[in-house]
């Protein structure tokens, strides 16, 4: 891969700079600090870690996860080092050439929003690797797992750093592939395989829509660099279609309704995978893309209505479904679906305020959701169940875990003084300024309702995991019987919970990060500050409503659960997925059964009809027979022709094989006579000899075949075959007449006659053509002859071997041959 | 073929014409450039000579007259023809470009040897090799099966006799 | 005098002749590997020269066109030839490594070399009748190879293959006769000029007839039936090389003749409709199968649709995409079949319901399959992605919305059927013990194999029969080629683009042939 020298450009305002990144413009290259050029290297580092993990996996045991964790750790440290510059509005960019002819360039760009995403991807990623090292016991295939996970981390990193949208797509699909392998890691379990497939098909299908959309968008914009596209947003029908396709891709990736069914299914993955992929990273890829493009395209076509409707609907559906879940992990999964809908609303609306709030929510959600997933993993690991009906008394036994869960949960529910509350307040604030009329009001209503649901399912989660329940039954361990987890197992979650608490109380240090992220998305944003206390305003009122409704919902949980179970089932996304897969399978089987029916005569008929119809119909429609046709040059030709025709017909209707062979020979001899009449004795001689030998050979073969043909009864299908054959004959003959009449220039064969003797030194033109003018053809033909000979030896050798392999006497072979013979004659 | 199945008259006639036909095939090969003939026809005629031997004396007879693997003919024919083509490069020509050698030999006088003749010999060898292969393979099988049929009949006969 | 262009034809032919004559298998192996390596080297050198100096025409026998036969090395022909010969070499090594393939009869190597020569000649020839001969050379060898081993099912499905291909050859020679009747020449460049004077109706029908005829060889809808029925039963190495090369030769001849001979009668709509149907029906067939080799066989058909799609656009971008796609498909499809053969060698079956858990028992095969399958499904960053991307870009640029949409839809179905193999064979619990008699040994009829390896696989229950190293390395080498196509996507696409430009422009080709 030829590398263009990487370069860095910074703009003081931090807005989109139209970096002059076309090759061949030396002026655009700025000086580059050596540490800044690491974007490509960091992504590659993950790939290298994956290779190391595959190679050394068996030797390192669980430590392989820690080794792999070094890649995101290094990335985090590097990103932290870059933070001051980036937060000042200077983007770090790097460019290497890949396939410029197709618009695929390795262009990376670290701006404020990318920095926030890197914090999620690599920061949380590092913790996940540490957590996973405690989660897994030593097992033989951990190297493969670690390799896939770090490859995923690298893909995700590349995704958020890519400026070229096709490069982004490359990483986008890589996350799909790696997540397929991760979800199906416990591959002996059927549900894991099915879940992996479902995730792959849904996100992969969306990915293809995305590809179509991105290509359309890039073609309309004349560039595939996102920063350049957004600097001068194109318009028009093609772009509007492209945006819908892009959104389709983003919705599937971010589990938006009605494509959300894969996310709960993906809970079949080991918990570290869920904590990472399904909270902090992969599902955020769609949100990320929407966030990037919304400020530029929110006003174009269907973007805003689509994003707001789908996002709000997802928020409600996810929250509603979460209320009914008994598996803690599934509960969190549906909660994640709900929160993703929330983020899509905020970041997709394309207004500065909501964008800012969305950035804050992204950060908050990454922290508390990863922490909660880790908690579920700890509970599962220690108590061997995740079913909230079976868990009881864990709050007293695992006090530390309970405390950190309550902190993280409260942040998710949006309670002060936690960062989740600040983010939600900012969100309400932003949404109240949407000014979209009735639609806007509906969106606010949906978000408030969704937040209330969030409050309720969070309460349900905490109650389910830690409360002491009298009715808890089941095989899982409860209360005092649960062993305490190692401190290394809990620390990553504790760190995240602590972070969400500290930043809730003291949000000021996050102001630059979130503010610059918002500015990177939308340069028109004048970033407000994050406050814990906004004063008494509508947003706070909405928060109060949320909490009140949420509390009510939680208290009525049993009734709601019963009602949900009894309610007429909504058309579920899961059902839709299953039905489409089954439908495609059925259709495929049917089509194949019709098309590929295994009958050679059918195949031949279809092929011949195609040959007849496709070229024949236009010919018959547009051409007319040439004038001045003569039937024959000499009457003898007519006589021979009639004989040939009669013999050919006789071959077809003959009932004895021997008669058919003789008639076929007669056809050949007749053609040879035609050659003689035409004045080509050489050809005629060859033809005679070939026919003679052919007849002799046939006679050899006939000795071991039955005297008569197998099938002699006249069937209706035969009539159609006769018709087809006759049509082919007419077509070829007619075409030959037309083609010959179309000739305007003399044939090159005239030159052969002239030059045969003087230049090639032979009087026999046919022979000169064969061995000189067109010797290469002859070389090919004798090769064919040699192959024919070899083929016969090969086949006969087989027969002989088979004969010997039987009972030992040649006569034992015969029954088998009968079967083959019938096969051949049919 | 069992000796009692052979026909004496046929045997004798075939033996008489066999070498003549072979000579004819060589003549056709060598004169092909100027008169009807050539490697292909020559090879077929040579093959026909062996077909006659086969009809008269069976596969063994053919094998006695051509005591080598017919694949040798096939292979060397292809190699010879291809090498003729490559040989043109040595003379500075394009692939398969014909070249002439004019020799003045003491007894034969002027001889014009053309590279195309070497090519034609390759053709001849392949065609003749093909016919020999066919005789060896198909003839063999047919004979084995005939013998088997005869044995079956014989077996049935002895079974029915007592 | 040009030596490099004819050598890829002549070397395998000489090698084939030697192998027919030689009895020793070891000697045959040496000759075969040497001949193919030499041919690959010559083709590579020729490509390097043509890349710099433009198309080369060789007047065979010293007779200039249109009297004599010309071999034409242009970017299109040589690019595909180099990729093909690299694939041929890898499969040859694989076949030597796999017990029973070339031991079954003494004729694997000569036939394989004849096939190689035929493929090379098909790419290089600039003469219609010689093209017919080249295809016959290729097919005649394939007729014997497909029945090599001679199991009854093989002979039966080989019959389908032979009969339909004979029909196609008959039609082909008829079309060439008709073109000769209309133009008085069989030299392609000469015919290209003379066809301009032929009345529209006749010319258009000739073009469509030629398209349909080569369509049988290329296995496009509705002419592909023979392929999925006959390919899976042949020995792996044979199926693999057929899958990689034969249909692609068909596609190449379609691209060449439609581009060169019938530039004014672009049967765009017809070709695009056929392309869409080929993609969809092919992938449906793949979805409906439960056997690795059968799934892959149907994919051959489906992927042909993509190539024809690029051609049907008749734009530089479309043709470039098609050419790139062919270059990517040849090694990928072959490699996947080779992995299928590895699985079969290890377990004795390629039926998904009898396989499972191979990711643990045959990790090398799993890794190689994964790389090939992802590439086939067009996922980045593998070679198939760039082929798909090029076609999608070309399709959208040409505003061919429907076919582009279909191609994207089909690619998710392709992925679906690849995951079917992955989840069925490589994931999950390991199924029953390896079948008692490995199929390859059956094909070989080799007493040694049935006596030795089949009795008790080493390593206790669940262990596979050992997969010979050489097979794994050959497959890995071919997968390496596909990875190279991905890494070198830029230069290869650029070559494809230039080749497409030459094809549509015609002048460079016509000048090279007619003004030697």
């Amino acid at each position: 891969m030829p590398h263009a020298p990487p370069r860095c450009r910074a703009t003081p305002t931090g807005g989109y700079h139209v970096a002059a990144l076309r090759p061949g413009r030396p002026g655009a290259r700025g000086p580059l600090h050596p540490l800044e050029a690491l974007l490509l290297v960091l992504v590659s580092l993950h790939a290298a870690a994956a290779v190391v993990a595959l190679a050394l996996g068996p030797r390192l045991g669980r430590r392989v996860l820690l080794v792999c964790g070094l890649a995101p750790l290094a990335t985090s440290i590097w990103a932290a080092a870059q933070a001051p510059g980036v937060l000042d509005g200077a983007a770090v960019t790097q460019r290497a050439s890949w396939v410029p002819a197709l618009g695929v360039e390795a262009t990376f760009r670290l701006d404020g929003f990318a920095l926030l995403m890197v914090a999620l991807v690599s920061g949380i990623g590092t913790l996940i690797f540490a957590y996973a090292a405690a989660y897994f016991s030593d097992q033989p295939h951990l190297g493969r797992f670690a390799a896939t996970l770090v490859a995923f981390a690298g893909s995700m990193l590349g995704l958020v750093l890519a400026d070229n949208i096709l490069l982004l797509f490359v990483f986008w699909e890589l996350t799909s592939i790696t997540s397929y392998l991760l979800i199906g890691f416990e591959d002996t379990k059927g549900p894991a395989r099915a879940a992996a497939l479902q995730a792959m098909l849904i996100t992969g299908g969306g990915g293809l829509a995305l590809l179509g959309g991105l290509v359309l968008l890039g073609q309309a914009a004349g560039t595939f660099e996102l920063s350049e596209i957004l600097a001068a947003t194109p318009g028009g029908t093609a772009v509007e279609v492209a945006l819908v396709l892009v959104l389709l891709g983003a919705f599937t990736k971010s589990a938006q309704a009605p494509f959300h069914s894969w996310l709960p299914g993906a809970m079949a993955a080991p918990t570290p995978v869920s904590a990472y992929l399904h909270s902090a990273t992969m599902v955020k890829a769609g949100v990320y893309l929407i966030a990037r493009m919304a400020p530029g395209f929110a006003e174009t076509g269907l973007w805003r209505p689509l994003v707001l409707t789908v996002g709000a609907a997802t928020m409600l559906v996810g929250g509603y479904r979460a209320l009914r879940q008994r598996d803690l992990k599934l509960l969190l999964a549906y909660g994640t679906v709900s929160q993703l809908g929330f983020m899509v609303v905020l970041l997709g609306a394309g207004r500065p305020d909501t964008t800012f709030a969305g950035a804050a929510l992204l950060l908050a959600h990454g922290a508390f959701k990863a922490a909660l997933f880790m908690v579920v993993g700890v509970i599962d690991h220690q108590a061997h169940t995740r079913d909230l009906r079976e868990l009881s008394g864990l709050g007293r036994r695992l006090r530390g875990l309970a405390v950190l869960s309550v902190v993280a949960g409260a942040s998710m529910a949006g309670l002060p003084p936690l960062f989740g509350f600040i983010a939600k307040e900012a969100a309400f604030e932003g949404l109240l300024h949407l000014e979209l009329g009735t639609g806007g009001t509906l969106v606010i209503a949906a978000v408030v309702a969704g937040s209330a649901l969030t409050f309720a399912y969070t309460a349900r989660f905490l109650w389910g995991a830690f409360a002491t329940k009298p009715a808890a039954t089941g095989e899982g361990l409860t209360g005092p019987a649960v062993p305490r987890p190692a401190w290394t197992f809990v620390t990553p979650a504790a760190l995240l919970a602590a972070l969400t608490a500290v930043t809730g109380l003291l949000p000021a240090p996050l102001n630059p990060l979130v503010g610059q992220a918002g500015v990177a998305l939308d340069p028109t944003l004048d970033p407000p500050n994050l406050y814990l206390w906004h004063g008494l305003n509508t947003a706070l009122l909405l928060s109060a409503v949320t909490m009140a409704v949420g509390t009510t919902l939680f208290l009525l949980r049993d009734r709601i659960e019963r009602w949900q179970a009894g309610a007429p089932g909504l058309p579920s996304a899961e059902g839709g997925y299953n039905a489409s897969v089954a439908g495609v399978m059925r259709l495929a089987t049917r089509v194949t059964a019709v098309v590929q029916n295994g009958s050679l005569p059918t195949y031949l008929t279809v092929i011949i009809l195609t040959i007849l119809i496709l070229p024949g119909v236009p010919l018959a429609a547009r051409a007319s027979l040439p004038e001045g046709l003569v039937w024959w040059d000499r009457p003898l030709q007519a006589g021979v022709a009639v004989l040939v025709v009669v013999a050919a017909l006789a071959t077809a209707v003959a009932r004895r094989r021997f008669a058919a062979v003789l008639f076929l020979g007669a056809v050949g001899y007749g053609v040879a006579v035609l050659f003689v009449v035409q004045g080509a004795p050489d050809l005629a001689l060859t033809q005679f000899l070939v026919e003679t030998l052919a007849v002799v050979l046939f006679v050899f073969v006939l000795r071991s075949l039955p005297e008569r043909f197998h099938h002699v009864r006249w069937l209706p299908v035969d009539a159609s075959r006769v018709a087809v054959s006759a049509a082919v004959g007419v077509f070829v003959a007619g075409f030959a007449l037309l083609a010959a009449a179309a000739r305007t220039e003399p044939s090159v064969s005239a030159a052969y006659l002239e030059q045969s003797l003087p230049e090639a030194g032979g009087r026999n033109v046919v022979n000169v053509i064969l061995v000189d003018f067109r010797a290469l053809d002859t070389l090919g033909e004798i090769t064919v002859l040699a192959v024919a000979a070899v083929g016969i030896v090969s086949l006969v050798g087989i027969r002989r071997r088979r004969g010997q392999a039987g009972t030992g006497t040649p006569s034992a072979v015969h029954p088998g041959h009968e079967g083959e013979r019938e096969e051949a004659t049919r | 073929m069992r000796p009692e199945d052979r026909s004496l008259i046929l045997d004798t006639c075939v033996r008489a014409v066999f070498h003549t036909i072979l000579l004819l095939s060589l003549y056709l090969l060598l004169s092909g450039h100027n008169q009807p003939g050539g490697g292909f026809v020559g090879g077929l005629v040579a093959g026909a000579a062996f077909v006659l031997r086969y009809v008269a004396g069976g596969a063994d007879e053919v094998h006695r007259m051509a005591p080598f693997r017919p694949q040798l003919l096939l292979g060397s024919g292809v190699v010879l023809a291809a090498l003729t083509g490559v040989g043109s490069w040595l003379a500075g020509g394009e692939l398969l470009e014909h070249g002439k050698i004019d020799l003045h030999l003491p007894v034969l006088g002027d001889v014009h040897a053309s590279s195309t003749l070497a090519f034609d010999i390759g053709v001849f060898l392949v065609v003749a090799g093909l016919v020999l292969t066919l005789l060896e393979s198909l003839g063999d099988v047919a004979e084995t099966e005939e013998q088997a049929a005869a044995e079956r009949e014989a077996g049935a006969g002895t079974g029915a006799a007592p | 005098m040009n030596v490099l262009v004819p050598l890829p034809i002549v070397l395998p032919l000489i090698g084939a002749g030697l192998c027919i004559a030689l009895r020793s298998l070891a000697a045959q192996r040496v000759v075969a590997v040497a001949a193919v390596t030499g041919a690959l080297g010559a083709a590579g050198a020729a490509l390097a020269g043509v890349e710099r100096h433009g198309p080369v025409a060789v007047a065979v026998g010293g007779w200039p066109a249109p009297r004599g036969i010309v071999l034409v090395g242009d970017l299109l022909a040589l690019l595909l030839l180099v990729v093909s010969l690299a694939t041929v070499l890898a499969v040859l090594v694989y076949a030597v490594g796999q017990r029973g393939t070339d031991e079954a009869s003494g004729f694997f190597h000569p036939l394989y070399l004849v096939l190689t020569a035929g493929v090379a000649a098909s790419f290089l020839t600039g003469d219609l009748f010689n093209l017919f001969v080249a295809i016959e050379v290729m097919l005649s060898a394939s007729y014997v190879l497909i029945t090599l081993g001679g199991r009854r099912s093989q002979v039966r499905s080989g019959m389908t293959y032979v009969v339909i291909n004979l029909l196609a050859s008959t039609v082909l020679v008829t079309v060439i006769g008709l073109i000769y009747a209309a133009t008085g020449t069989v030299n392609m460049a000469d015919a290209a000029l003379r066809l301009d004077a032929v009345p529209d109706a006749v010319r258009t029908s000739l073009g469509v007839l030629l398209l349909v005829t080569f369509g049988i060889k290329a296995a496009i809808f509705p002419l592909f039936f023979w392929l999925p029925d006959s390919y899976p039963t042949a020995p792996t190495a044979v199926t693999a090389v057929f899958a990689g090369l034969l249909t692609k030769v068909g596609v190449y001849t379609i691209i060449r003749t439609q581009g060169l001979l019938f530039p004014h009668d672009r049967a765009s709509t017809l070709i695009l409709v056929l392309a869409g149907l080929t993609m969809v029906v092919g992938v449906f067939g793949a979805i409906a199968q439960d056997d690795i080799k059968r799934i892959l066989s149907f994919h051959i058909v489906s992927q042909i649709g993509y190539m024809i799609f690029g051609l049907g656009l008749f734009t530089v971008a479309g043709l470039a995409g098609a050419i790139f796609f062919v270059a990517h498909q040849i090694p990928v499809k072959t490699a996947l079949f080779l992995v299928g053969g590895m699985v079969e060698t290890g377990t004795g079956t390629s039926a998904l319901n009898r396989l499972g858990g191979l990711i643990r028992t045959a990790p090398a095969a799993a890794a190689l399959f994964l790389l090939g399958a992802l590439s086939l499904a067009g996922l980045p960053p593998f070679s198939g992605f760039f082929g798909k991307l090029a076609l999608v870009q070309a399709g959208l640029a040409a505003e061919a919305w429907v076919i582009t949409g279909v191609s994207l839809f089909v690619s998710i179905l392709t992925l679906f059927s690849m995951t079917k193999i992955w989840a069925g064979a490589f994931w999950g619990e390991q199924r029953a013990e390896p079948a008692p008699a490995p199929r390859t040994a059956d094909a070989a009829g080799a007493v040694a194999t049935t006596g030795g390896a089949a009795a008790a696989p080493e390593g206790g229950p669940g262990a596979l029969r050992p997969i010979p190293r050489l097979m794994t390395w050959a497959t890995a080498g071919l997968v390496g080629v596909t990875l190279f196509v991905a890494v070198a996507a830029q230069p290869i696409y650029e070559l494809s683009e230039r080749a497409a430009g030459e094809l549509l422009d015609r002048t460079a080709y016509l000048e090279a042939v007619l003004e030697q």
Side-chain angles (χ1 to χ4, degrees), chain A residues 775-797:
Chain A
L776 191 60
D777 284 344
T778 312
L779 185 57
E781 289 300 347
I782 61 173
T783 311
V784 172
L785 289 182
V787 167
V790 164
I792 288 160
V793 175
S794 168
L795 274 174
V796 169

Side-chain angles (χ1 to χ4, degrees), chain B residues 69 75 79 86 89 93-96, chain C residues 1-2 10 17 21 23 58-59 61:
Chain B
R69 292 161 66 231
V79 171
V86 176
W89 287 334
E94 291 286 8
L95 178 75
L96 285 166
Chain C
M1 177 175 79
N2 187 310
V10 177
R23 242 179 216 271
V58 177

Side-chain angles (χ1 to χ4, degrees), chain A residues 800-812:
Chain A
R800 218 175 278 155
R801 250 205 325 279
R802 206 186 284 157
Q804 284 157 6
T807 53
T809 59
S811 53

Side-chain angles (χ1 to χ4, degrees), chain B residues 55-162:
Chain B
V55 171
D60 295 342
E61 179 92 357
V62 175
H63 195 70
R64 214 158 43 80
M65 298 315 298
F68 46 81
R69 292 161 66 231
Q71 284 95 296
L72 274 179
L73 288 187
L74 294 171
S76 53
V78 172
V79 171
L80 178 61
L83 281 181
T84 316
V86 176
S88 320
W89 287 334
L90 300 179
E94 291 286 8
L95 178 75
L96 285 166
E97 189 160 340
H98 67 266
K100 257 182 281 184
I101 311 166
D102 297 314
L103 292 175
H104 299 280
L105 295 178
V107 181
L108 296 169
D110 288 355
V111 171
H112 309 287
S114 170
S115 65
T116 55
L117 180 61
F119 185 85
D120 227 5
I121 294 172
V123 176
F124 178 91
L125 290 176
V126 170
V127 176
L130 169 68
V131 177
L132 280 175
T133 311
L134 290 174
L135 290 178
E136 192 181 62
S137 307
L138 293 183
D140 254 14
V141 168
E143 256 179 35
T144 338
E145 288 185 0
E146 253 171 32
Q147 273 170 16
E151 277 166 25
R152 264 204 311 274
E153 274 167 32
T158 50

